[in-house]
Amino acid sequence: MRLSIKTMQVLLVFPKAEDAQGNTFQQACERRSYKYHLSRNASSALETFINQQSDLVIIDCRQSDFEAEKLCRAMRCASKHGEYAVILALTDHVDRNASIPSVLPLLTAGFNRAFSEIINVDACLNELVTLEMGEVRNMWRLMAASAVFVALENTEDAVQITNENHEIQYVNASFEKMCGFRREDVLGKDERNLLHSDKNGADIFNAIDSNINRGTMWEGVYHVKRREGESLPCRSRVSPAGTSSIRHLVTVRNQSADVPSPYDTIFHPPSPDVLKYLDNIWRKTKRPSDVTSISRRPSVQRIHSMIIKTPIYQVISLINEVKENTPDEIHRCLQQIYDILTNPENVFCPNGIPDKILEDRHTRELFTGLTGFGIEKESNNSHEEPPHRLQSSDSRDRTLSAPAILLSDAANEQMGLLLQQATSWEFSIIEMERLSNKKPLYHLGMNIFERFRVREFLNCTDEMLGQWLNLVESHYHANNPYHNSTHAADVLQATAYFLECSRVQAILTPMDKVAALLAAAVHDVDHPGRNNAFLCNSNDPLALLYNDVSVLESHHVSFAFQVTMEKVNIFNELPREDYRSLRQTIIDMVLATDMSHHFEHVSKFNNAILGRLEDEHSTVGGQSGDSDSALIARLAQQPDSRRVIKRILIKAADINNPARPQALCREWTNRIAQEYFQQTDEEKKRSLPVVMPIFERHSCNIPKSQVGFIDYFVRDMFEAWDTFATVPTIIKHLNENYAYWNERALHQNQTEENSVSTQSPMNSESPANDAPASSEPSGAVTFTTGPSS
């Protein structure tokens, strides 16, 4: 590594003014053109040292009232640079016949060396030059070497450094990951005894030593024995470092494409004998799902039918069944794999679209429009548009005063009565919208925030919370039929309802609850009334900014934090670490509302949370008391598990409409249908790909789409959530609404079959008695995931 030579920076610390020795050193610095600073007291000296990062410090130790040793220690500890600075102690002149004091106290204090007083510019200049060419440049080399070690820590190759006796002196982070050892476990150990595998040839060390003795690098495949005992073949390079006498060996290892992975060997197709062995164990092992008990909760009995049988879940089940009947070495390997796969963040759902969805056109188009699966950007130039931002009447410039909502006395009284029902699932947010002059988020938000003590957690005032809610609500587009502040208030009310369920209340922390409420309030802020696919197809600036990935979800949460920091910073009094944790939780929950990840989140919840819940009940024969408490206590201590629960919580709140009382469900249906009709109209007008052709204004079969949506998106998720949170009222409304839409779909199908001429479903009998037949849909579609729906 080439050492960059710079002008030495010198700091002179002489507390006594007009000191002859200090003046001499100044003259010496000027003759050599060194940059120097002069300090008269300890505090200014320490500040200058930190700011200027002086290479050489000369401290006057002759003054008895000046704590030179204390200053030296402070400089060593003040910053990382203190480790590399050269600090010189100026001591009193000693007569030739006098005894010379020991320098040990000075060295112990952190000084590099001592210099006896001598009022001679040439002598001082010689001392400075000697220090520059010697110790100072050595320190520069050490600083440069530290940069090399930072690079080593960030490389993907495993690097180890050993001495001539093959004792390990250094390993990087990739070595720990590859070999399974912690750094402190291998330092000082003999590398050839610790890492050598029997799969290496008998003469491999002779070949390596032969190259090293000639001063050349050895390169080849070396089998490393990992901590768990298995052998890992690596492409390795061993190089000598030093002069004629080899002092260190540097070994770099990696798994290149032509070297098989150990995990490939684990999952290679097994031999017929192994298959027979596993099949015998599988048949002999009694699975928990085969045991029935009338004492088990019916909801727990449903868990197995709800778990998505992904390939990874099947692998987990197989490993769990057979690992107890295998030899110790295989058992350790299987246990390690089992631990990795059962981490909630590692459970993934299958790719692709389920076959049943593909069979029906309405359901397929609905599925494609909501998740984005199967949507490919058109290559036809007629569909290509320059970046075009959707027009909105909303502006980022909002007043921060309290909402200008002057309600009549009668409206205030009705509002108070309505808010008393805010804890009920039957709460009518549509009525709240009417009473509040379309400002429900502010009024409901203040009520819920007070109930959950949000003000106390954030350490802010009620006035500031009110200003923040007013600010957020002003950035919801009132002209959107569906994605407006009423939808945000509805999701906020559902979130608060779920947070008060006993299991959820016991597992989530106060920070989790506050984050969930804030995430619900902002989860669709500044929504343009068009879905992700539309933004991507129209080359909207947001799609370009977020690379077509979770475009709206990313914008909602980013925009929310931006206007909060600019206008009403409700996080200002939070400790930095609390703010970072709260922010990450809000971001994670808002991003979870992206329907393109719907099946992934549901699968994780079923496998990682409900699967463990069933295991607990199976273990105790269906008695859920003590085992349930123990599981809740464990989940509360596991951030990954809480994260999975929070994601499914806000998802359930976001698409809660099919599970609301029927009147509310039908109203939300009319609103979302109108918003999708508007999107389809604009797609045709601008010659864009029509994302959901089923939402043609005059040929839409809403009931059929709603039935498919409940079947493939809503039911499994809410039944899983009911198993965990116990929300039977929600399941009751969901079943009633499903029966209603299914009946309407059958009726509309018969009408279409009996019709001689083509008839628009919009002209058939409307499910909402008060809905105009010419504009309102004939069913409800509760895909309320604002971002991607």
Side-chain angles (χ1 to χ4, degrees):
M1 182 174 182
R2 186 165 182 254
L3 183 64
S4 178
I5 304 300
K6 61 178 182 175
T7 302
M8 184 171 68
Q9 298 244 20
V10 182
L11 174 60
L12 304 175
V13 185
F14 286 87
K16 184 179 177 181
E18 299 302 326
D19 185 272
Q21 184 66 73
N23 294 336
T24 303
F25 271 114
Q26 289 184 62
Q27 295 175 33
C29 289
E30 291 171 354
R31 285 177 57 179
R32 185 67 177 172
S33 298
Y34 294 135
K35 297 178 181 179
Y36 72 92
H37 296 82
L38 178 63
S39 296
R40 297 296 185 188
N41 56 67
S43 60
S44 66
L46 184 60
E47 182 179 359
T48 303
F49 175 76
I50 294 173
N51 294 335
Q52 300 299 325
Q53 295 194 353
S54 307
D55 302 307
L56 172 63
V57 183
I58 301 176
I59 302 178
D60 187 358
C61 298
R62 301 169 299 168
Q63 313 301 327
S64 59
D65 58 344
F66 185 69
E67 297 179 328
E69 295 182 7
K70 185 176 181 180
L71 175 60
C72 181
R73 291 191 182 95
M75 288 181 172
R76 293 298 188 195
C77 301
S79 66
K80 182 68 175 175
H81 180 72
E83 180 182 345
Y84 301 105
V86 177
I87 305 180
L88 180 71
L90 177 65
T91 60
D92 290 312
H93 177 73
V94 180
D95 293 333
R96 180 177 299 179
N97 297 326
S99 61
I100 300 176
S102 172
V103 297
L104 185 59
L106 295 174
L107 298 177
T108 304
F111 288 97
N112 293 88
R113 59 189 295 178
F115 178 76
S116 295
E117 178 184 16
I118 179 170
I119 312 300
N120 184 289
V121 175
D122 290 331
C124 291
L125 180 58
N126 288 337
E127 181 67 15
L128 293 176
V129 172
T130 302
L131 289 170
E132 179 194 8
M133 298 300 180
E135 294 180 66
V136 171
R137 291 199 177 181
N138 285 336
M139 288 300 179
W140 289 349
R141 291 186 181 92
L142 286 177
M143 292 176 68
S146 68
V148 175
F149 279 102
V150 171
L152 290 177
E153 287 299 317
N154 290 278
T155 183
E156 295 182 358
D157 291 340
V159 179
Q160 74 177 42
I161 300 176
T162 61
N163 60 17
E164 64 269 26
N165 296 322
H166 307 292
E167 294 172 344
I168 298 176
Q169 307 295 298
Y170 165 83
V171 296
N172 67 348
S174 294
F175 175 95
E176 294 180 302
K177 182 178 179 180
M178 176 182 288
C179 300
F181 290 99
R182 294 180 302 173
R183 190 167 306 182
E184 54 268 27
D185 294 336
V186 300
L187 293 182
K189 301 291 181 62
D190 188 326
E191 175 259 348
R192 295 193 170 182
N193 290 333
L194 183 68
L195 303 177
H196 181 65
S197 169
D198 294 338
K199 291 189 177 181
N200 291 307
D203 60 345
I204 191 167
F205 290 142
N206 292 334
I208 295 175
D209 292 341
S210 176
N211 283 53
I212 296 302
N213 291 334
R214 294 197 304 268
T216 60
M217 179 184 70
W218 177 87
E219 182 174 4
V221 175
Y222 183 90
H223 291 261
V224 177
K225 184 173 68 175
R226 302 184 76 249
R227 182 174 185 174
E228 292 77 12
E230 71 268 28
S231 178
L232 180 66
C234 299
R235 178 67 62 185
S236 303
R237 299 182 299 279
V238 184
S239 304
T243 56
S244 57
S245 177
I246 304 300
R247 299 302 302 272
H248 291 92
L249 299 176
V250 179
T251 303
V252 180
R253 297 188 176 96
N254 62 66
Q255 272 191 270
S256 59
D258 57 339
V259 176
S261 165
Y263 303 106
D264 293 338
T265 61
I266 291 175
F267 292 107
H268 274 164
S271 65
D273 292 337
V274 173
L275 284 175
K276 183 178 180 180
Y277 169 70
L278 293 177
D279 183 65
N280 289 336
I281 295 177
W282 181 269
R283 295 175 183 278
K284 293 177 182 178
T285 306
K286 197 167 186 63
R287 306 180 64 194
S289 58
D290 296 332
V291 182
T292 58
S293 172
I294 60 173
S295 62
R296 296 175 65 186
R297 289 179 55 202
S299 57
V300 176
Q301 291 176 338
R302 295 201 315 266
I303 294 177
H304 261 302
S305 63
M306 290 189 296
I307 293 178
I308 301 175
K309 301 297 185 180
T310 61
I312 194 171
Y313 175 77
Q314 295 171 355
V315 171
I316 292 172
S317 300
L318 177 62
I319 292 174
N320 191 39
E321 298 295 347
V322 304
K323 64 186 176 70
E324 300 300 331
N325 301 284
T326 57
D328 291 344
E329 184 175 352
I330 298 178
H331 179 275
R332 286 195 302 270
C333 182
L334 291 176
Q335 183 63 47
Q336 182 184 7
I337 298 171
Y338 180 85
D339 292 341
I340 293 173
L341 297 182
T342 53
N343 184 308
E345 291 301 319
N346 293 334
V347 184
F348 295 99
C349 66
N351 292 324
I353 303 177
D355 292 338
K356 290 184 178 179
I357 292 179
L358 292 172
E359 293 172 359
D360 181 75
R361 182 182 68 86
H362 287 80
T363 306
R364 180 177 66 251
E365 292 177 357
L366 176 62
F367 178 93
T368 302
L370 293 182
T371 65
F373 294 148
I375 293 180
E376 296 183 1
K377 198 164 185 177
E378 294 284 347
S379 58
N380 192 331
N381 292 332
S382 64
H383 292 157
E384 295 289 339
E385 289 200 353
H388 172 75
R389 183 71 172 95
L390 291 173
Q391 297 296 321
S392 170
S393 60
D394 293 303
S395 169
R396 291 199 179 192
D397 296 327
R398 304 294 186 208
T399 59
L400 302 184
S401 59
I405 305 172
L406 299 178
L407 304 179
S408 65
D409 292 340
N412 273 323
E413 182 179 356
Q414 294 178 50
M415 180 79 72
L417 293 175
L418 182 61
L419 286 173
Q420 293 178 11
Q421 306 171 28
T423 59
S424 169
W425 187 251
E426 283 74 19
F427 176 79
S428 176
I429 194 63
I430 305 300
E431 180 67 9
M432 170 68 74
E433 177 189 65
R434 183 184 68 81
L435 292 174
S436 65
N437 294 327
K438 295 188 176 182
K439 295 290 183 181
L441 184 59
Y442 169 79
H443 292 281
L444 181 63
M446 291 300 291
N447 177 277
I448 290 176
F449 283 4
E450 180 181 1
R451 200 162 84 230
F452 283 87
R453 303 177 63 85
V454 175
R455 175 179 61 82
E456 288 82 354
F457 180 87
L458 296 176
N459 194 23
C460 65
T461 63
D462 284 330
E463 181 182 8
M464 178 175 281
L465 270 184
Q467 290 176 351
W468 183 80
L469 281 168
N470 183 43
L471 176 69
V472 171
E473 187 155 38
S474 69
H475 285 291
Y476 276 93
H477 300 187
N479 57 326
N480 288 344
Y482 182 86
H483 288 103
N484 49 42
S485 67
T486 304
H487 168 63
D490 179 60
V491 175
L492 177 62
Q493 193 272 339
T495 299
Y497 181 87
F498 293 148
L499 289 174
E500 292 183 325
C501 297
S502 57
R503 270 194 183 136
V504 178
Q505 200 169 27
I507 290 173
L508 298 188
T509 66
M511 179 181 290
D512 290 332
K513 296 170 185 175
V514 171
L517 295 173
L518 297 178
V522 305
H523 83 283
D524 271 334
V525 67
D526 200 40
H527 195 293
R530 303 292 183 265
N531 65 13
N532 277 335
F534 180 95
L535 298 185
C536 295
N537 288 333
S538 62
N539 288 322
D540 188 89
L542 289 179
L544 300 178
L545 176 63
Y546 296 111
N547 299 316
D548 293 353
V549 179
S550 298
V551 175
L552 283 170
E553 295 77 19
S554 298
H555 173 64
H556 298 322
V557 69
S558 174
F559 183 89
F561 275 102
Q562 183 176 348
V563 296
T564 296
M565 296 304 171
E566 292 175 354
K567 304 291 186 180
V568 188
N569 188 0
I570 58 176
F571 308 116
N572 195 48
E573 298 300 321
L574 279 180
R576 179 177 295 275
E577 289 304 316
D578 287 350
Y579 167 70
R580 295 299 302 171
S581 298
L582 186 71
R583 170 174 159 81
Q584 290 304 315
T585 301
I586 294 173
I587 292 173
D588 186 79
M589 293 187 71
V590 174
L591 293 181
T593 61
D594 184 353
M595 284 298 286
S596 66
H597 300 290
H598 174 81
F599 295 105
E600 175 185 340
H601 293 314
V602 174
S603 180
K604 287 181 179 180
F605 182 77
N606 285 339
N607 292 326
I609 305 300
L610 296 192
R612 295 172 62 183
L613 177 65
E614 186 197 21
D615 290 341
E616 291 288 337
H617 286 279
S618 299
T619 303
V620 296
Q623 302 301 317
S624 61
D626 295 338
S627 66
D628 199 53
S629 300
L631 177 61
I632 289 174
R634 287 197 298 275
L635 293 177
Q637 298 299 318
Q638 298 170 352
D640 287 343
S641 297
R642 297 205 315 273
R643 187 179 301 113
V644 172
I645 293 170
K646 286 180 289 186
R647 289 172 181 170
I648 211 72
L649 183 151
I650 197 169
K651 282 185 60 60
D654 193 25
I655 59 173
N656 74 77
N657 301 157
R660 289 288 190 180
Q662 190 174 116
L664 292 174
C665 177
R666 292 164 61 187
E667 174 63 27
W668 284 118
T669 295
N670 293 336
R671 296 187 178 202
I672 190 63
Q674 287 301 318
E675 192 164 296
Y676 281 146
F677 291 158
Q678 292 177 4
Q679 174 173 315
T680 301
D681 292 344
E682 184 171 356
E683 286 168 337
K684 291 182 175 180
K685 181 180 179 181
R686 295 171 58 183
S687 298
L688 294 172
V690 177
V691 175
M692 288 186 285
I694 59 172
F695 282 99
E696 298 278 356
R697 187 178 294 273
H698 301 295
S699 61
C700 183
N701 190 332
I702 295 295
K704 190 171 183 179
S705 299
Q706 177 66 1
V707 168
F709 181 72
I710 294 177
D711 276 337
Y712 296 108
F713 288 90
V714 179
R715 183 180 299 281
D716 284 348
M717 186 185 70
F718 271 105
E719 288 186 348
W721 184 241
D722 175 49
T723 300
F724 177 77
T726 314
V727 284
T729 301
I730 295 176
I731 300 301
K732 172 179 172 291
H733 287 305
L734 178 64
N735 290 334
E736 291 174 351
N737 291 330
Y738 181 80
Y740 172 80
W741 299 123
N742 194 43
E743 180 182 355
R744 295 295 305 155
L746 293 175
H747 173 75
Q748 189 157 331
N749 287 339
Q750 289 179 345
T751 302
E752 292 173 353
E753 291 174 359
N754 296 332
S755 177
V756 177
S757 60
T758 303
Q759 176 179 329
S760 170
M762 302 301 299
N763 295 328
S764 62
E765 181 184 353
S766 174
N769 296 329
D770 57 346
S774 62
S775 61
E776 303 300 344
S778 58
V781 193
T782 339
F783 24 86
T784 64
T785 62
S788 57
S789 58

